[in-house]
Amino acid sequence: GLKGSGAMILRKNIELLPLLSGGNQEDGLRSSTVSVSMAYTIALAIRRAMSEYKISIARITALNSFLRSHFAKQSGIIINSPEKGSPYIFNFSLLEKKASVVVEALSNEDIMISSVSACHAKTNQFSHVLKALGRDDVASSNPLRISFDSQTSQDEISTFIQAFDSMIARIRS
């Protein structure tokens, strides 16, 4: 959709306060008249996304499985993402290298992955989620996350694996 357009699904029995007061449009949740062009483009975007969903999810699941099978054979790595979880995220922990060093080294090759969630980016805390999964201090403080989208290709995953393996071989513990 157009920039500024969006949609929200609201469950029953949830009360929201309006961001802007005035008028009584949208059941009192928003003032002013809805933009027809924005509503139309978000509807088109949703329709397109849903029509391509099954094909996209199958392709991304295959890419995630390919990456998972590669990392399952590696020593010094624990896979955190469940096999039946979202195929759009692959999370694993390094046991012998610093995740932050790997992220920086890969970014120098224009490969962007994450080492911590955005809400913990400025702290050196353990991942409470990984701790809840029973991971030790090393694994829960050293995760890496790879995100897939509908545009991710097999070539990109292969390039990532090659760069990652090369980086791991060069980086000191």
Side-chain angles (χ1 to χ4, degrees):
L2 295 173
K3 184 176 181 177
S5 66
M8 176 174 61
I9 298 171
L10 184 62
R11 290 190 336 202
K12 293 178 183 177
N13 302 323
I14 293 187
E15 196 171 320
L16 297 177
L17 297 174
L19 292 174
L20 302 171
S21 298
N24 203 20
Q25 293 83 357
E26 305 305 318
D27 294 323
L29 292 176
R30 167 182 199 283
S31 60
S32 78
T33 304
V34 172
S35 167
V36 174
S37 60
M38 286 193 178
Y40 181 71
T41 60
I42 196 72
L44 288 176
I46 291 169
R47 185 174 292 134
R48 179 176 178 196
M50 295 309 295
S51 73
E52 297 171 1
Y53 177 75
K54 286 183 181 178
I55 294 167
S56 178
I57 199 89
R59 196 176 63 71
I60 297 303
T61 299
L63 292 176
N64 187 300
S65 294
F66 176 74
L67 190 61
R68 177 180 293 278
S69 67
H70 176 77
F71 281 115
K73 300 173 200 166
Q74 306 296 313
S75 64
I77 291 176
I78 293 177
I79 297 173
N80 299 315
S81 291
E83 284 193 57
K84 299 294 182 187
S86 171
Y88 291 93
I89 302 291
F90 183 78
N91 186 290
F92 62 101
S93 291
L94 299 176
L95 303 178
E96 300 164 356
K97 310 287 182 178
K98 290 282 293 167
S100 58
V101 173
V102 172
V103 168
E104 181 155 348
L106 289 172
S107 73
N108 291 334
E109 298 198 22
D110 293 326
I111 298 173
M112 306 305 167
I113 64 172
S114 302
S115 62
V116 294
S117 64
C119 55
H120 288 96
K122 302 232 185 265
T123 66
N124 289 327
Q125 296 179 347
F126 302 115
S127 164
H128 68 279
V129 173
L130 295 179
K131 287 296 251 180
L133 289 173
R135 300 296 189 244
D136 65 16
D137 288 352
V138 172
S140 64
S141 64
N142 221 19
L144 290 169
R145 186 185 74 227
I146 294 136
S147 300
F148 299 84
D149 70 14
S150 62
Q151 307 291 310
T152 304
S153 70
Q154 178 69 45
D155 287 343
E156 288 172 321
I157 298 302
S158 296
T159 298
F160 164 73
I161 288 172
Q162 183 178 7
F164 179 86
D165 290 349
S166 173
M167 211 66 61
I168 289 295
R170 291 192 319 254
I171 294 173
R172 287 185 256 156
S173 299

